[in-house]
């Protein structure tokens, strides 16, 4: 979800104004996903690297997250949405963690869209914590445990969630920026110049139409 800062600057407002406006795009995309039976929607809300932004922007984003989680409770209930947050919890403020845990618990039995907020997340962090857990498991077992791709996938923070089919990046940037590095091995990428606060259902539809025209060969010949 990129381009909030530039969007705010265009209107002569502070960066946080753009982040707040971006919340409306999240709502629109969730609505679209529910209406079209999309099973998983993950949103890269805050990266490990974002912690080094100015303190007021970081705390503003955490507050926005706190407010949004609690405000959207009712939407999750009405639409059978399962809410998940994935990332390095150790860096998140206690009140936010509490709100996240409460809403995750509340929605755990929901069977519609799984909405995943990647928060304090980075792909390298994820791979590293998986490797550390594997090493700890080996140490506890007193031997080198067998490990294959499926097994390693189950150690990642995204365990149990299918790899993304489509990755959309807004605001004209064309890079992965430490997102799901392992999980995106065969993901289709879609780039759009639209800034995140302007991103709406029709933009998501265009991305999906582009995806639908692609042929996925996974390294094979047809
Ligand atoms: C994305 O918008 C939102 C977050 C990273 C939280 P940016 O804040 O990166 O916006 P630009 O890139 O400065 O326009
Ligand atoms: Mg950016």
């Amino acid at each position: 979800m990129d381009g909030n800062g530039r969007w705010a600057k265009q209107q002569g407002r502070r960066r946080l104004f753009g982040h707040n406006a971006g919340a409306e795009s999240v709502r629109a995309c969730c609505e679209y996903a529910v209406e079209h039976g999309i099973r998983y929607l993950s949103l890269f809300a805050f990266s490990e690297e974002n912690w080094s932004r100015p303190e007021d922007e970081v705390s503003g984003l955490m507050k926005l997250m706190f407010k949004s989680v609690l405000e959207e409770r009712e939407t999750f209930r009405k639409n059978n949405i399962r809410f998940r947050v994935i990332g390095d919890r150790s860096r998140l403020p206690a009140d936010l963690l509490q709100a996240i845990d409460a809403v995750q618990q509340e929605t755990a039995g929901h069977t519609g869209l799984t909405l995943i907020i990647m928060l304090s997340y980075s792909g390298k962090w994820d791979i590293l914590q998986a490797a550390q857990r594997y090493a700890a498991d080996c140490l506890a077992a007193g031997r080198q445990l067998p490990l294959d791709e499926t097994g390693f996938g189950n150690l990642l923070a995204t365990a149990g969630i299918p790899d993304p089919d489509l990755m959309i990046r807004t605001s004209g940037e064309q890079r992965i920026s430490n997102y799901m590095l392992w999980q995106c091995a065969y993901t289709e990428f879609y780039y759009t110049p639209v800034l995140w606060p302007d991103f709406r259902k029709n933009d998501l539809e265009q991305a999906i139409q582009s995806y639908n025209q692609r042929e996925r060969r996974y390294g094979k010949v047809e």
Side-chain angles (χ1 to χ4, degrees), residues 1-6 15 50 53 169-171 173 175:
M1 301 187 283
D2 204 4
N4 298 350
R6 278 162 283 171
R15 295 179 58 80
N50 288 153
R53 290 192 177 194
R169 183 160 185 164
T170 55
S171 85
E173 310 291 358
R175 51 177 173 264

Side-chain angles (χ1 to χ4, degrees), residues 32-33 36 38 166 168 190 201-214:
Y32 181 95
H36 290 79
I38 291 173
L166 170 64
I168 301 168
Y190 179 86
K201 288 183 186 180
N202 60 311
D203 301 296
L204 182 51
E205 181 131 301
Q206 263 179 42
I208 292 168
Q209 268 168 13
S210 161
Y211 171 85
N212 283 336
Q213 280 160 16
R214 300 183 193 186

